[in-house]
Amino acid sequence: MHQYTRGFGHPRLVAALAKLYSKLLGRELNPQTEVLTTLGAYEALYSSITGHVDTGDEVIIIEPFFDCYEPMVRYAGGVPRFIPLRPKNNGPVQSSADWILDKYELESVFNSKTKALILNTPNNPLGKVFTYNELSYIADLCKKWNVLCISDEVYEWIVYEPNKHIRIATLPDMWERTITIGSAGKTFSVTGWKLGWAYGPANLMVNLQMIHQNSVYTGNTPIQEATAIAFEKEIARLGSEECYFISISKELQPKRDFMAKFLLESGMKPVVPEGGYFMIADWTPLESQVDLNSEQDKYKDYRFTKWMTKKVGLQGIPPSAFYGSEHKKLGENLVRYCFIKEDKNLQEAANILQKWKSGKS
Ligand code: PMP
C-alpha cells in the first residue's frame, strides 16, 4: 500500500467503480479499459480536454460553469464557446430549475469546428439538475454534429427531492460519445482526498490514459484503496436509506432550506438549488448598505464579496468568475454561498446577516 499502484487505476478501485456504474448505467463496464482514476475530478477534466481538443477546436461551455473549464480548453489550443443559462423568473425566491438553456441559442453555437461540449449536472455554482428533456436536446445536437460530451457529474449523489440525477451517457447512442467524470471528494465529502475518475468507451478513454500516463503516471495508492473499501460498503447497501448516496442529500436538504430562509430574511434573493451544496443569491437589494467604492475590482460581485468578508465577516464567492468575459455582467448581481457546514456555523451566518441588516455590525 506504500508503493506505486497500477497507473490507470488501483485494481480494487477500478473494479468497484466498474461494478457501481455497470449497475447504474445498465451496461457492463470493463474496469481495465473503460475506467480511469485520476488526481481529483480536476485531472479527469484535464485529461479529457487535453486528450481530445486540438488547436482551433471549439468547445461549448454552459454558463455559469466550474471555472477551470475555460483555461483548460484554452491551454489545449481550443476555443471556448459560451452559452448562458437564463433566469426565467424574477420573484423573490427562484429555483435553479428557473434557469433555462435556450434551445435555439444552444443550436446556434454548434458548427463543424465543435469538438466537445462540457456539461455539468448538478451544476456548480447554480445547483441546476438538468432534466431528461434538456439532456435530450443536448444529446441530439452532439449526435447531429458528431461532438464529444464531457459530463462533469461530481455532485451526482447530491440531488434534492423530487429531482433525479440523469446520466447523459444513458441516453440513446450517447455512451459512444460521452466521458463521465466523478469525484471521491464530492461522493464521500472528503475533498482533501483529491481522487477522481472518468469512465466511457475504451476508444475515447485511451486518449485520457495517454495524458494521464505522461503527466502524473499514477495516483495515490492508500487513498484509492480506502475509496475502494468505501465503495464496496456503499454498493452492498445501494438503494437503502442508510446508503451514503441517499443519506447525504437528506442530511443537506434542511441546511439548504435554512440557508434559503435566512438569505431571504436578510433581503437577498436566493436561488434554491436542486442539487449540489452551493446557493446563488442576488445581493443587490442590499446594495445601499454596501460600500462598493472601498474595493477596486472591475466587477461589482468581487467588490461586494470582499467588502462583506472584511466588514461583515461572511464569505461568499463572486459568480462572475463562472462566466466567460463576454457574459461576466450576468454574474455581477450574484454571490455564491456554501451550505455543507455544521448547523452551528450556518446559524452563525444567519446571526451575522441578521445583525448586519439591523445595522448593528
Ligand atoms: N467539477 C466541479 C463541478 C466541481 O465543483 C469540482 C470541485 N469544486 C471539481 C470538478 C473538482 O473536483 P476534485 O476536487 O475532485 O478535483
Side-chain angles (χ1 to χ4, degrees):
M1 285 306 136
H2 298 289
Q3 311 305 330
Y4 290 141
T5 184
R6 175 176 171 271
F8 296 149
H10 186 54
R12 187 166 177 183
L13 179 58
V14 287
L17 288 167
K19 187 167 172 195
L20 174 68
Y21 289 110
S22 295
K23 272 191 214 283
L24 297 172
L25 269 67
R27 72 159 49 236
E28 227 23 65
L29 261 65
N30 181 329
Q32 303 292 313
T33 57
E34 295 182 323
V35 182
L36 171 74
T37 67
T38 55
L39 278 61
Y42 250 94
E43 196 236 322
L45 286 161
Y46 176 80
S47 299
S48 305
I49 294 168
T50 314
H52 288 100
V53 176
D54 291 322
T55 306
D57 285 344
E58 292 188 5
V59 178
I60 298 172
I61 298 177
I62 301 166
E63 294 170 315
F65 59 88
F66 183 53
D67 57 343
C68 69
Y69 302 161
E70 178 182 2
M72 284 187 186
V73 166
R74 293 194 191 279
Y75 186 52
V79 181
R81 296 290 309 270
F82 300 106
I83 157 118
L85 293 165
R86 296 191 189 274
K88 288 281 148 48
N89 157 4
N90 215 8
V93 185
Q94 284 179 19
S95 154
S96 55
D98 296 324
W99 287 58
I100 307 288
L101 189 59
D102 184 292
K103 277 187 196 179
Y104 301 103
E105 218 179 333
L106 177 65
E107 195 169 1
S108 70
V109 287
F110 276 83
N111 66 77
S112 58
K113 291 200 216 114
T114 313
K115 173 59 80 64
L117 173 143
I118 306 179
L119 172 70
N120 176 210
T121 184
N123 161 281
N124 174 9
L126 199 57
K128 181 180 173 68
V129 173
F130 285 74
T131 63
Y132 189 86
N133 218 355
E134 291 168 318
L135 295 175
S136 282
Y137 64 74
I138 293 172
D140 289 346
L141 287 167
C142 287
K143 286 181 269 185
K144 178 172 172 195
W145 292 97
N146 192 22
V147 164
L148 169 72
C149 178
I150 299 173
S151 190
D152 178 343
E153 301 185 12
V154 298
Y155 300 103
E156 63 189 319
W157 298 113
I158 306 176
V159 177
Y160 306 107
E161 294 281 351
N163 305 290
K164 295 265 173 290
H165 175 63
I166 300 167
R167 296 176 175 80
I168 196 167
T170 62
L171 268 64
D173 304 319
M174 282 305 283
W175 167 256
E176 293 74 5
R177 59 180 65 257
T178 304
I179 291 167
T180 309
I181 291 171
S183 164
K186 312 295 165 174
T187 300
F188 294 109
S189 311
V190 289
T191 55
W193 285 24
K194 280 303 284 184
L195 171 66
W197 53 85
Y199 61 85
N203 65 315
L204 299 181
M205 292 307 294
V206 76
N207 300 318
L208 281 70
Q209 289 172 341
M210 287 308 106
I211 302 299
H212 174 82
Q213 174 155 319
N214 297 300
S215 50
V216 299
Y217 193 75
T218 189
N220 176 316
T221 312
I223 291 290
Q224 293 195 68
E225 175 78 4
T227 306
I229 295 169
F231 269 119
E232 288 163 8
K233 288 198 168 170
E234 299 309 330
I235 291 169
R237 54 185 186 178
L238 210 58
S240 82
E241 294 285 308
E242 297 86 61
C243 179
Y244 192 62
F245 302 156
I246 294 189
S247 66
I248 174 92
S249 305
K250 297 219 182 311
E251 203 181 311
L252 286 174
Q253 187 151 347
K255 296 181 192 286
R256 176 196 71 164
D257 296 343
F258 179 53
M259 179 174 271
K261 179 171 161 287
F262 73 69
L263 289 179
L264 191 66
E265 283 168 2
S266 78
M268 293 194 203
K269 286 161 73 179
V271 180
V272 181
E274 300 157 282
Y277 44 58
F278 299 114
M279 190 173 305
I280 288 276
D282 180 348
W283 56 271
T284 54
L286 301 168
E287 191 161 344
S288 62
Q289 283 171 251
V290 183
D291 179 14
L292 289 177
N293 293 328
S294 64
E295 298 293 336
Q296 305 305 314
D297 302 81
K298 183 167 173 197
Y299 294 102
K300 273 199 317 192
D301 55 334
Y302 275 77
R303 283 186 261 149
F304 168 70
T305 49
K306 282 188 180 175
W307 180 87
M308 191 83 183
T309 302
K310 291 178 194 170
K311 301 287 187 221
V312 183
L314 190 67
Q315 181 148 36
I317 297 286
S320 62
F322 303 112
Y323 285 88
S325 55
E326 272 171 56
H327 295 148
K328 284 200 183 289
K329 287 241 152 244
L330 297 177
E332 263 199 315
N333 293 348
L334 306 173
V335 56
R336 190 198 77 176
Y337 293 115
C338 175
F339 58 85
I340 187 164
K341 303 279 176 200
E342 286 177 34
D343 290 344
K344 67 175 189 331
N345 293 332
L346 290 175
Q347 184 58 56
E348 188 56 26
N351 297 346
I352 288 172
L353 283 175
Q354 172 66 35
K355 222 165 110 191
W356 176 50
K357 196 187 165 207
S358 58
K360 291 190 196 124
S361 68

